[in-house]
């Protein structure tokens, strides 16, 4: 058994025969007034120069320069339910910069085509085998929901994530292939999982530095009037959309003295699952003990076994993650070790392992919910 969260797409509905268009494939960029500005960014020729941008440009900007305000919207990005507030935020912005790992010019062309109303989301996905009109609202794939949120907003779409061809892209791709091998002795399994999260956290920090350099270069271009559509504005609003692991971007911008704010779809917000918490702790150089790692490992196993079933009743990723996190938190380190020892030595297939896991959860006072409201009650998700 390989612990990797299964797809939640349903046959004949959310998953087209040709495969869902992924974030890094379906939206691809650069038409309109902003295209020429970002050619150099994508080529990596001017990114490093942005590090020289002064710390407090907004305070000391020259007469006639706009004030550049940045809002970072932190949310999950798996389904339409995760980003239901995003469309309203995009409408209030002048520039939209989504987290799109592996972006390239083709992706940016499609994104800009959606924004300018030149490409209809329905027609785009229909041509790729997905009839998005028949997908239940909220359960649509992220790529579909994002295209609808952007459609005909006339906003400038900019790249600021890791592009294909960048050295960091290939390194992160390699780390993304890591899969937990539950048949290792528990001590080795725990060490392997912890090391993987540590290495991923380090590459994510590098990714954030790249994001910051590209963002500051964008700001520099705005201030020098390189975007004709924004030249006469007193205030330019940039909306950034990121996952919860990237809170460091906000903190670094704040430290620089930038005019930055952040918002969330749900408060109090659980910043992803335990694995995301572990990575965030590594990124902020905080202690990560083996108890937390063990709970993250168990949560990954529970996600592998149960996430698909939870997705039949809810499209809210944070809700499902909070439910899984609460279940994993109920186990002691000794119980977690026993759980994986039984997987390693028990000879059970996936369905038998799922049944045995549900029995253990029942003994802990949990049960699988039959509705989203019941799921919210169990997860204490208000």
């Amino acid at each position: 058994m390989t612990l990797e969260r299964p797809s939640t797409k349903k046959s004949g509905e959310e998953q087209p025969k040709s495969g869902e268009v992924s974030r890094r494939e379906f939206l691809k960029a650069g038409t309109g007034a902003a295209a020429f500005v970002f050619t150099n960014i994508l080529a990596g020729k001017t990114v490093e120069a942005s590090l020289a941008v002064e710390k407090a440009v907004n305070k000391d900007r020259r007469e006639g320069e706009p004030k550049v305000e940045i809002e970072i919207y932190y949310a999950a990005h798996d389904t339409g339910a995760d980003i239901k507030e995003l469309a309203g935020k995009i409408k209030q912005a002048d520039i939209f910069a989504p987290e799109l790992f592996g972006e390239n010019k083709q992706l940016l062309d499609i994104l800009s085509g959606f924004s300018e109303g030149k490409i209809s989301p329905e027609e785009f996905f229909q041509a790729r085998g997905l009839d998005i009109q028949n997908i239940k609202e909220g359960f649509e794939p992220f790529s579909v929901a994002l295209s609808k949120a952007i459609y005909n907003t006339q906003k400038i779409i900019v790249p600021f994530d890791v592009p294909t061809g960048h050295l960091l892209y290939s390194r992160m791709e390699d780390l993304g292939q890591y899969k937990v091998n539950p048949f290792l002795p528990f001590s080795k399994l725990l060490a392997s999982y912890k090391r993987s999260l540590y290495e991923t956290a380090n590459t994510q920090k590098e990714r954030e530095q790249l994001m910051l350099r590209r963002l500051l270069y964008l700001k520099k271009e705005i201030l020098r009037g390189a975007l004709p559509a924004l030249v006469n504005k007193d205030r330019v609003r940039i909306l950034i959309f990121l996952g919860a692991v990237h809170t460091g971007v906000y903190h670094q911008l704040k430290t620089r003295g930038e005019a930055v704010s952040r918002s969330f779809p749900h408060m109090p917000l659980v910043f992803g699952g335990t694995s995301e918490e572990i990575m965030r702790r590594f990124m902020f150089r905080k202690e990560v003990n083996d108890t937390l790692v063990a709970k993250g490992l168990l949560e990954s196993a529970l996600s592998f076994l149960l996430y698909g079933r939870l997705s039949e009743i809810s499209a809210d990723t944070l809700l499902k993650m909070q439910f899984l996190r609460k279940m994993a938190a109920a186990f002691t380190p000794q119980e977690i070790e026993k759980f994986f020892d039984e997987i390693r030595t028990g000879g059970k297939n996936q369905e038998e392992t799922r049944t045995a896991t549900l029995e253990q959860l029942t003994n802990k006072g949990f049960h699988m919910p039959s509705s989203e409201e019941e799921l919210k009650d169990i997860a204490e998700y208000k």
Side-chain angles (χ1 to χ4, degrees), residues 59-114:
K59 289 187 293 184
D60 302 322
R61 68 186 189 277
R62 293 183 294 273
E63 183 178 354
E65 289 181 342
K67 179 178 182 181
V68 178
E69 298 178 347
I70 302 167
E71 178 184 357
I72 305 178
Y73 181 60
Y74 287 104
H77 34 281
D78 189 33
T79 67
D82 297 332
I83 59 171
K84 57 188 177 183
E85 297 178 358
L86 185 61
K89 291 185 173 295
I90 291 173
K91 290 177 182 178
Q92 297 172 10
D94 299 298
I95 296 174
F96 178 50
E99 175 185 347
L100 289 169
F101 174 73
E103 63 192 22
N104 54 38
K105 187 179 183 303
Q106 184 184 7
L107 181 58
L108 197 52
D109 282 339
I110 295 173
L111 271 170
S112 296
F114 284 133

Side-chain angles (χ1 to χ4, degrees), residues 313-334:
I313 61 172
S314 177
D316 188 329
T317 299
L318 290 180
L319 168 59
K320 290 177 285 189
M321 293 176 76
Q322 186 158 320
F323 174 81
L324 294 167
R325 188 168 182 159
K326 185 176 181 180
M327 287 194 293
F331 286 74
T332 67
Q334 294 74 22

